[in-house]
Amino acid sequence: MEEFGSVKEREEGLVPYLTPLGAWALSVGTAIGWGSFVFTTNLYLSEAGPVGSALGMLVGMVIMLFISRNYHYLINYYPSAGGVYGYVKKIFGYDRAFLSFWYVGLAYLAMLWANATSLPLFARNFLGDTFRFGYLYTVFDYEVYLGEVLLTMAAILFMGLLCMKRERIAVNLMKVLALTFTVCIAVCFAVAMLHRDAAVFPFTPGFISGKSALSQVTGIALIAPWAFIGFENISHSAREFKFSHKKTFNVLTVSVVTTTLLYIFVILLSISAIPSQYTGWPDYINRLADQGGGLKVLPAFYAAHYYLGDTGMFLLAAALFSLVMTSLIGNTVALSRLFYSVAKDDILPDRFAELNQRRNPERAVELVLLLSLPIPLLGRTAVGWIVDVLTISAIIVYGLISAAAYKLAGERGDRTEHCTGFVGVAIMAVFALLQLFPELNNFEQLATETYFLITIWSVCGFLFLRNVLHRDYAKVFGRSVVAWVALMAIIVFMSMSWMRQSDQDFAEKTMSEIRGFYRGEADAAAYEMGEEEFINSKKQDYVVRGSRKNSVVLILIMFSLGMFFTNYAIVQRRTEETEAELGHVQKLAYRDAMTGVKSKQAYVDEVSRLDELIGSGSIKQFAMLVCDVNGLKHINDTYGHKAGDEYICAASKLICENFKHSPVFRTGGDEFVAILEKQGFEGRHDCVAAFNRQVEANVKEEGKVVVSVGLTDFVPGQDKNVHDVFERADALMYKRKMQLKAMGAKTRA
């Protein structure tokens, strides 16, 4: 087996194996996937045009560089596995760390599933119906075939086993694949730009009509979290770097710049060649759905074939396949390190924190496979809704990472990261606002089903958290209700967004049906009802549907509130039990087991209290009585230690009886201290006089207890702390000890 890292590193956990090139490949390979080809044409160009899309991506790049700086800062300060989960845990505690784990885990799973289920689409475009055999069923208008399901499962399983058993080979493969798609896309773009005939294929218009250029650029920049998420993948493997963590920002910067350029290359490549029947790129892009199939449906491939023939097709096909495979590897690696980290904290069962002989989290990879293998059965449509959650998840994760950097930098006085942290938090807050209220920027909203899925996922978060609280023997969760409030807020806002979007969709459908009725396009049953009854039925449908939808939202919110208060009750009960245990432990710690008086720990805490009062000038009078038992060594040597213990107990009883209004502390084997306040202070001299008379009488009787005491008062303005008072009392005690010795009392000597 190949060896990496020191002996200590191999014994403690994950072993370093990532080089800078490997880290770059993981970063850029996870950030870009199948959507790089699809959405750059179907969304970017149709919403902002080539110039608006390119500028929007550049703005997104700048934003991600701020996020990169925040990651770099935290990686250098906490170079461990787990990424955002580990950083938030260290800085904000376990509750908010759970929040980060819950949403970054969803994001990586969504990317993994999206790229895995894109393989059948890849096969349909380049291999025809090779894998379209064994029809199973249709789900959400997507036909599921056994052959395509097996293809997807095989890819997930192969990449999972590779990451599980041969992680170094997996990362080396990542390097090859990342370089492959980077070079292939760059070559196709360069050839297209060099041979493009501007007169025939102009890039104008640079923006789409009907919206301001600023709103178009802003709209594309708003997608930045979706477009770039995954580039921070390497933060989950920071423990496995074979290079200095100080180089992290350089790696992330190169990755972000590479990702941005590749997006822009595909955007511009897609409109560099347009079929002759179209008047310009807007006409071409807006009518892609009318193509039915072939190269024209994929503008980037059409352009590559136009300029390079079959070679261009092969280059982009290789690039697209490489993008899909790198995403599978990158997300599997990130998820396995995330699951490994949370399992170490007992959020997941501890078996997922086990490492194999190669010091690789094999069990955590098994969990990734367990969650991913059934996904092809859901169909591509459902997975598409899940993928849309990336935007919300990315905003939450990047917001938390920026907040963590902001707080840590503020505590350490690092101005640069304090600034980048603040900028990151502010930008993510704006992005969150625009996602919740997309009409503010007049940009495309998330699918209705996506809002619902985020709501359900967040509700499941409360359920999962309840399980974590029940297993939280270390009692590290439940200390921050802020995280719970945030989770509750996400549920409320997402459910309301789902309801609003659902209302809008149903309203549009209803209006379409009504227009169809007047155009003569409705079915016969509608005309049998008559106009008035038909319109009334649509109104009734809207009311019934709205009532059902409102009921669902209300149930979800009420259920979440119930879980919120149930979890809170668990924490409160646990807190009360903890306080009771601490009270019992403190009571034991404050009591001297042998004599029953207060212990040395109690004395230390009392001195701390008095020192604070002295420092603030809040106390004016108290006195200290320092006591030392005479003749203990003689008793121990003559009669044994049991007799010595009895002698100490008798001395303690004598002190307590004479100074009954003051707490007595046993500070050593035969040493006691009493602190005299209030009533004890007022009668101190009489008590000392009576005590000394009894002790002097005891000197004359064999076996009686003899105790030397020294009493002194606190002098405001002179004594700076309790120790100053103690020193004077201790000196008086030794003076008294010499007097008693002269009377015949035994001493330690």
Side-chain angles (χ1 to χ4, degrees), residues 416-438:
T416 300
E417 286 73 21
H418 194 61
C419 177
T420 59
F422 175 80
V423 171
V425 171
I427 291 175
M428 292 305 128
V430 172
F431 279 15
L433 183 66
L434 292 176
Q435 284 296 339
L436 292 174
F437 305 101

Side-chain angles (χ1 to χ4, degrees), residues 475-493:
K475 299 179 181 178
V476 295
F477 285 91
R479 299 182 179 182
S480 173
V481 183
V482 173
W484 300 11
V485 172
L487 192 58
M488 191 69 226
I490 292 172
I491 292 172
V492 172
F493 281 115

Side-chain angles (χ1 to χ4, degrees), residues 39 44 50 89-90 105 129 138 175 187 197 204 221 223 265 394 442 468 508 513 566 587 619 643 651 684 719:
F39 284 96
Y44 290 2
K89 177 183 71 175
K90 294 286 187 181
D129 293 335
T138 298
K175 298 175 187 176
V187 167
D197 186 346
T204 54
I223 307 176
F265 288 172
N442 195 28
V468 171
E508 291 177 355
E513 291 175 350
T566 300
K587 184 176 180 180
I619 190 168
R684 64 193 182 284
D719 296 320

Side-chain angles (χ1 to χ4, degrees), residues 67-112:
I67 303 299
S68 298
R69 187 66 188 185
N70 295 334
Y71 267 105
H72 164 77
Y73 182 64
L74 293 169
I75 287 173
N76 278 269
Y77 204 74
Y78 299 116
S80 58
V84 61
Y85 166 78
Y87 309 141
V88 175
K89 177 183 71 175
K90 294 286 187 181
I91 297 170
F92 292 116
Y94 284 81
D95 293 283
R96 275 174 269 193
F98 174 83
L99 197 66
S100 66
F101 151 68
W102 197 244
Y103 288 100
V104 77
L106 175 62
Y108 290 150
L109 284 171
M111 286 191 290
L112 175 61

Side-chain angles (χ1 to χ4, degrees), residues 364-377:
V365 178
E366 289 178 0
L367 179 58
V368 176
L369 295 180
L370 183 66
L371 294 171
S372 302
L373 286 174
I375 293 301
L377 298 172

Side-chain angles (χ1 to χ4, degrees), residues 310-580:
D310 290 341
T311 301
M313 278 286 298
F314 174 79
L315 289 175
L316 279 196
L320 183 55
F321 181 78
S322 298
L323 286 168
V324 173
M325 292 298 104
T326 54
S327 183
L328 296 185
I329 297 173
N331 285 296
T332 299
V333 170
L335 282 165
S336 63
R337 273 55 181 177
L338 176 65
F339 291 161
Y340 163 77
S341 297
V342 298
K344 288 174 67 177
D345 291 331
D346 294 324
I347 294 177
L348 292 175
D350 56 7
R351 65 177 176 274
F352 295 117
E354 296 176 8
L355 300 177
N356 60 18
Q357 292 182 347
R358 297 176 59 82
R359 313 307 296 168
N360 192 37
E362 181 174 314
R363 296 278 188 171
V365 178
E366 289 178 0
L367 179 58
V368 176
L369 295 180
L370 183 66
L371 294 171
S372 302
L373 286 174
I375 293 301
L377 298 172
L378 296 179
R380 178 71 181 178
T381 304
V383 173
W385 296 334
I386 298 173
V387 172
D388 281 346
V389 307
L390 285 177
T391 301
I392 301 297
S393 295
I395 290 171
I396 294 171
V397 172
Y398 292 156
L400 283 171
I401 209 72
S402 298
Y406 175 77
K407 183 178 179 182
L408 180 62
E411 293 172 351
R412 298 186 62 205
D414 297 324
R415 294 185 177 180
T416 300
E417 286 73 21
H418 194 61
C419 177
T420 59
F422 175 80
V423 171
V425 171
I427 291 175
M428 292 305 128
V430 172
F431 279 15
L433 183 66
L434 292 176
Q435 284 296 339
L436 292 174
F437 305 101
E439 61 273 8
L440 294 177
N441 194 52
N442 195 28
F443 200 69
E444 182 173 323
Q445 305 178 61
L446 297 177
T448 303
E449 295 80 4
T450 298
Y451 288 116
F452 184 72
L453 286 173
I454 297 175
T455 303
I456 295 300
W457 181 256
S458 302
V459 171
C460 290
F462 267 126
L463 288 170
F464 195 91
L465 183 59
R466 177 182 173 82
N467 180 55
V468 171
L469 288 172
H470 275 297
R471 296 185 291 105
D472 181 26
Y473 302 113
K475 299 179 181 178
V476 295
F477 285 91
R479 299 182 179 182
S480 173
V481 183
V482 173
W484 300 11
V485 172
L487 192 58
M488 191 69 226
I490 292 172
I491 292 172
V492 172
F493 281 115
M494 289 297 105
S495 61
M496 297 300 290
S497 297
W498 169 68
M499 183 170 64
R500 179 190 61 202
Q501 184 75 358
S502 181
D503 282 343
Q504 182 178 331
D505 292 346
F506 189 73
E508 291 177 355
K509 178 184 176 183
T510 301
M511 291 303 299
S512 176
E513 291 175 350
I514 292 174
R515 284 193 294 268
F517 179 86
Y518 287 111
R519 292 172 182 169
E521 300 171 354
D523 54 32
Y527 294 108
E528 290 177 2
M529 295 170 61
E531 178 182 354
E532 184 176 353
E533 187 177 350
F534 175 76
I535 298 299
N536 288 334
S537 70
K538 292 304 172 183
K539 290 180 180 178
Q540 185 63 27
D541 288 345
Y542 187 83
V543 171
V544 171
R545 189 178 183 280
S547 177
R548 291 175 180 174
K549 181 173 70 290
N550 291 339
S551 298
V552 171
V553 171
L554 182 61
I555 290 171
L556 287 173
I557 293 177
M558 294 304 294
F559 179 79
S560 301
L561 279 172
M563 292 304 304
F564 181 97
F565 289 114
T566 300
N567 290 349
Y568 185 75
I570 293 173
V571 173
Q572 284 296 100
R573 184 172 65 250
R574 192 178 66 187
T575 301
E576 291 171 1
E577 292 171 354
T578 301
E579 289 176 351

Side-chain angles (χ1 to χ4, degrees), residues 623-628 659 672-674 676 688 691-692 707-713 725-737 740:
M624 294 193 72
L625 182 79
V626 176
C627 312
D628 189 90
F659 299 93
F672 295 83
V673 173
L676 288 64
V688 170
F691 184 85
N692 284 335
V707 180
S708 303
V709 299
L711 175 73
T712 189
D713 295 350
V725 186
F726 177 86
E727 287 290 311
R728 292 201 305 276
D730 193 53
L732 291 173
M733 181 274 294
Y734 273 105
K735 183 177 180 181
R736 175 62 176 168
K737 184 179 285 288
L740 292 173

